[in-house]
Amino acid sequence: MGKDAKAKESKGKGKQAASGSDENASKGKGKGGKAADGLGTCTYVKARHILCEKQGKINEAYKKLQDGWLDNGDKVPPAEFAKVAQEYSECPSGKKGGDLGWFPRGKMAGPFQEVAFNTPVGVTSAPFKSTHGYHIILSEGRKN
């Protein structure tokens, strides 16, 4: 009985993995197999970000976002995110409020692309590290 249950379970997982292993691999934790939300399946993302070399500085920026909105369960308005980006971001885009505009899948490197394409529209990511430093992303749109 135990072997049969495991065999059925692994067959189901095999089918799911074969039908969309790239999609599932690009999803965040706990997202497995939910394509209806569009995460990981779109071609372009519109985003703002904050980039800092030091983890302490990105944590300060994130705390400012938490204190103003995130701790209350609110979404950070793009104009407010832009103000924090102008204050904290060390990327040239910081002068434009962190606006990266629309960019296609494959343009951004590793973890940045992963987070950008898996953060729902209107949601602010937690700080994360990439080869360029520490980031926070605000997802503003997605399209194919």
Side-chain angles (χ1 to χ4, degrees):
M1 187 161 112
K3 288 180 185 178
D4 291 343
K6 285 186 179 185
K8 285 180 185 177
E9 185 177 305
S10 76
K11 282 182 187 176
K13 285 182 181 177
K15 283 183 182 177
Q16 185 178 20
S19 68
S21 61
D22 289 343
E23 180 181 292
N24 290 336
S26 69
K27 299 214 181 264
K29 296 174 190 164
K31 300 278 186 201
K34 291 185 183 177
D37 60 10
L39 297 178
T41 61
C42 65
T43 307
Y44 289 87
V45 166
K46 183 176 192 298
R48 293 181 180 273
H49 82 133
I50 299 169
L51 169 65
C52 300
E53 183 182 342
K54 305 281 185 194
Q55 187 173 13
K57 189 171 181 182
I58 200 74
N59 289 341
E60 281 179 39
Y62 192 67
K63 176 140 179 50
K64 196 164 197 170
L65 297 171
Q66 284 179 311
D67 291 347
W69 300 274
L70 300 175
D71 282 350
N72 299 327
D74 296 330
K75 291 183 177 179
V76 180
E80 297 301 326
F81 187 94
K83 289 178 188 175
V84 176
Q86 287 173 339
E87 182 179 346
Y88 287 93
S89 187
E90 297 165 7
C91 179
S93 69
K95 293 177 183 169
K96 299 184 299 178
D99 189 7
L100 298 172
W102 291 97
F103 54 90
R105 186 178 298 280
K107 182 176 181 183
M108 303 296 184
F112 190 93
Q113 176 173 282
E114 174 98 11
V115 174
F117 279 84
N118 288 297
T119 300
V121 173
V123 174
T124 302
S125 75
F128 65 95
K129 185 172 179 25
S130 80
T131 55
H132 299 286
Y134 296 89
H135 304 264
I136 300 168
I137 293 177
L138 171 63
S139 175
E140 292 190 291
R142 54 182 72 248
K143 64 184 179 180
N144 289 325

